[in-house]
């Protein structure tokens, strides 16, 4: 079974520029998550999708961050415009419906540096 | 106060030592407790999970949950250099899908 794929792996931009990250979850996983992991911290949930609907986006800074999962498979996370404090690793995770303990499978992440 | 507190370390021990990693939490509604391992420049991977209180053993790893103290632990026996990683505790409320992560403890096992 292929894992969660993310691209790009690394991205360096200047503040006020825009950036987009792509995620392809494990086949058949209905739930998809985007996390932000700042250096030295644990992952923080930004948004959760169930198929192509948003379940939780309470911690997504909606003035600059947006995410979509149009066909219930791939997802894109966008930042526009980026700020210095957005420098972090952006992790995508997916989960198969039906596991009570909520095992999430993570991708390798996209490391964003905002200069 | 954060919902989940975890000492970030770093923690450095010699090979073969017993390692103890811990988290405390404030939300008494948490019922599922997980430990994720994250190697450098990789995503976290689930190591162990426990439901409610008690112990769970898997090879060299033992997870303990003490709900009365709101305290969870992960023990690693006969630690190996390949165990060097950041260990994240995570918790969730029954019926919810959202995981709340600790800060992570960076562990180094020295040969």
């Amino acid at each position: 079974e292929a894992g969660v794929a993310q691209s790009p792996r690394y991205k360096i931009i200047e503040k006020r520029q825009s950036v987009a990250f792509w995620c392809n979850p494990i086949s058949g996983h209905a739930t998809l998550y985007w996390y932000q992991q700042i250096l030295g911290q644990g992952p923080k949930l930004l948004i959760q999708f169930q198929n192509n609907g948003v379940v939780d986006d309470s911690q997504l800074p909606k003035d600059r961050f947006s995410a979509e999962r149009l066909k219930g498979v791939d997802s894109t996370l966008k930042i526009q415009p980026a700020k210095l404090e957005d420098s972090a690793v952006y992790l995508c995770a997916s989960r198969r419906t039906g596991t009570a303990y909520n095992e999430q499978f993570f991708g390798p992440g996209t490391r964003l540096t905002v200069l | 106060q954060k919902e989940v507190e975890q000492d970030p370390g770093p923690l450095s021990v010699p090979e073969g030592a017993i390692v103890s990693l811990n988290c405390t939490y404030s939300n008494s509604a948490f019922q599922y407790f997980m430990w994720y391992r994250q190697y450098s420049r990789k995503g976290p991977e689930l190591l162990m999970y426990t439901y409610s209180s008690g112990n769970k053993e898997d090879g060299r790893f033992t997870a303990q949950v003490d709900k009365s103290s709101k305290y969870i632990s992960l023990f690693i026996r006969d630690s190996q250099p390949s165990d060097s990683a950041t260990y994240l505790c995570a918790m969730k409320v029954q019926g919810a899908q959202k995981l709340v992560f600790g800060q992570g403890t960076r562990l180094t096992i020295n040969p």
Side-chain angles (χ1 to χ4, degrees), chain A residues 6 8-13 19 21 34-44 46 65 77 79 82-91 108-115, chain B residues 38 41:
Chain A
Q6 289 189 248
R9 291 295 312 277
Y10 304 92
K11 190 74 177 178
I12 300 174
I13 62 173
V19 65
F21 313 127
W34 282 103
Y35 289 88
Q36 180 192 58
Q37 187 175 23
I38 292 172
L39 184 65
Q41 298 184 19
K44 183 184 86 169
L46 292 176
F65 285 65
L77 176 70
I79 307 175
K83 292 185 175 181
L84 296 177
E85 59 260 35
D86 298 332
S87 293
V89 175
Y90 290 85
L91 294 163
T110 296
R111 183 176 298 270
L112 173 67
T113 301
V114 181
L115 302 176
Chain B
Q38 186 174 23
R41 302 192 183 276

Side-chain angles (χ1 to χ4, degrees), chain A residues 21-89:
Chain A
F21 313 127
W22 173 82
C23 173
N24 182 242
I26 293 173
S27 177
H29 284 198
T31 308
L32 184 147
Y33 309 81
W34 282 103
Y35 289 88
Q36 180 192 58
Q37 187 175 23
I38 292 172
L39 184 65
Q41 298 184 19
K44 183 184 86 169
L45 179 68
L46 292 176
I47 188 166
Q48 175 188 340
F49 291 95
Q50 180 72 21
N51 295 308
N52 60 350
V54 175
V55 174
D56 184 351
D57 63 356
S58 58
Q59 297 191 91
L60 186 73
K62 298 180 186 63
D63 57 334
R64 299 184 300 105
F65 285 65
S66 64
E68 60 183 12
R69 194 184 183 199
L70 291 177
K71 297 181 180 178
V73 181
D74 295 7
S75 178
T76 303
L77 176 70
K78 296 180 181 177
I79 307 175
Q80 180 180 9
K83 292 185 175 181
L84 296 177
E85 59 260 35
D86 298 332
S87 293
V89 175

Side-chain angles (χ1 to χ4, degrees), chain B residues 20-94:
Chain B
S20 172
L21 304 168
N22 312 293
C23 289
T24 59
Y25 62 94
S26 58
N27 187 348
S28 58
F30 285 139
Q31 289 277 50
Y32 290 89
F33 304 91
M34 283 145 274
W35 287 95
Y36 279 80
R37 179 174 61 195
Q38 186 174 23
Y39 290 114
S40 180
R41 302 192 183 276
K42 302 284 188 182
E45 57 178 344
L46 182 66
L47 194 58
M48 295 188 72
Y49 81 92
T50 310
Y51 173 69
S52 194
S53 284
N55 295 358
K56 187 171 185 178
E57 189 173 321
D58 184 2
R60 297 184 295 109
F61 298 88
T62 299
Q64 287 186 351
V65 175
D66 182 349
K67 292 194 71 180
S68 62
S69 302
K70 296 190 180 69
Y71 187 88
I72 71 170
S73 301
L74 177 71
F75 297 96
I76 307 174
R77 292 184 301 280
D78 187 24
S79 55
Q80 304 294 311
S82 58
D83 296 328
S84 298
T86 295
Y87 289 80
L88 297 153
C89 62
M91 311 176 187
K92 82 173 193 82
V93 174
Q94 187 163 9

